[in-house]
């Protein structure tokens, strides 16, 4: 008897970039499970309704996806893998429409921001939608006049839309970092990273002492950002360090940093594709 497929949640509809990331990270053998919100991805994993989840955490053009960074801090779930996905946006409309006839476009706010220059040059009004694939489905089902969607070519195929233009993002170097929660995918990784979240006293040199625990051991801090806490003007720092927690110098650096922090939590030590 064949084993049931592992179910992996993503935000949006079938055809979303999140589903592409699920397949790229976990392979085609898993079942992609669309849910309405990013919070629903985390809750579905935490409550065991799915075996894992995939969410975006940073865009090369739009910066961090703040909601998902905060959800990582809120939930006790481990990051178990990361993927940098090349995002290639398409302008989609019902068959028979032409590019010159488009006046409005629906898409996720991040996608609209990534295509802002293109839309401005063509005089197309951006209208936010909760997800790129949801925008594509809405345009396909409702066929609003003079309206298109920005989404993936996969979404065009799923919803029977015509591709009016390809590569409408403003930069050819448009990537999104996705992370997976739950069991680690069975795949080959190119390198390893460790993600941390910590708080320090608001005093001179407090952050420096944490960072020096890693720099003194020759470890690269790949990312550092702050997120506000519930108390005014107090922050939690999120940091990615190259290297696995199983490596002695990474483990030693984390232990040394812990002594300089009020709190320190390992969000995951995982492979990067």
């Amino acid at each position: 008897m064949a084993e049931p497929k592992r179910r992996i949640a993503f935000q949006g509809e079938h055809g979303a970039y999140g589903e592409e990331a699920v397949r790229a990270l976990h392979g085609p053998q898993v079942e992609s499970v669309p849910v309405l919100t990013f919070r629903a991805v985390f809750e579905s994993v935490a409550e065991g309704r799915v075996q894992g989840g995939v969410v975006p955490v940073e865009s090369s053009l739009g910066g961090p996806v703040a909601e998902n960074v905060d959800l990582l801090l809120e939930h006790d779930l481990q990051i178990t893998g990361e993927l940098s996905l090349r995002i290639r946006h398409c302008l989609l409309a019902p068959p028979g429409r032409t590019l010159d006839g488009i006046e409005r476009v629906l898409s996720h706010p991040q996608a609209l921001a990534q295509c802002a220059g293109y839309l401005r040059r063509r005089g197309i009004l951006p209208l936010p939608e909760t997800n790129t694939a949801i925008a594509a489905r809405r345009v396909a089902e409702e066929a609003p006049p003079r309206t298109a969607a920005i989404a993936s070519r996969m979404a065009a195929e799923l919803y029977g839309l015509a591709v009016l233009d390809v590569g409408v993002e403003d930069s050819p170097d448009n990537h999104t970092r996705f992370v997976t929660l739950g069991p680690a995918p069975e795949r080959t990784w190119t390198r390893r990273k460790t993600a941390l979240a910590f708080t320090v006293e608001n005093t001179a040199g407090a952050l420096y002492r944490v960072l020096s625990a890693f720099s003194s051991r020759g470890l690269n801090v790949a990312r550092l950002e702050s997120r506000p806490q519930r108390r005014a003007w107090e922050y939690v720092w999120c940091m990615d360090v190259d290297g696995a927690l199983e490596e002695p110098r990474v483990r030693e650096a984390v232990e040394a940093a812990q002594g300089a922090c009020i709190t320190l939590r390992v969000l995951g030590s995982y492979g990067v594709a």
Side-chain angles (χ1 to χ4, degrees), residues 136-157:
R137 189 189 68 179
R138 182 178 167 190
V139 167
E141 292 178 350
E142 301 176 12
R146 298 179 295 281
T147 303
I150 289 176
S152 67
R153 189 180 289 275
M154 180 196 299
E157 295 169 357

Side-chain angles (χ1 to χ4, degrees), residues 21 39 49 80 84 101 109 136 146 170 173 213 233 242 259:
R39 179 173 291 277
R49 297 197 297 271
T80 54
S84 178
R146 298 179 295 281
D170 294 333
D173 188 23
W233 320 128
D242 287 339

Side-chain angles (χ1 to χ4, degrees), residues 51 79 136 160 175 207 225 248 266:
Q51 286 71 55
I79 300 171
H175 290 77
L207 181 59
E225 68 171 294
V266 176

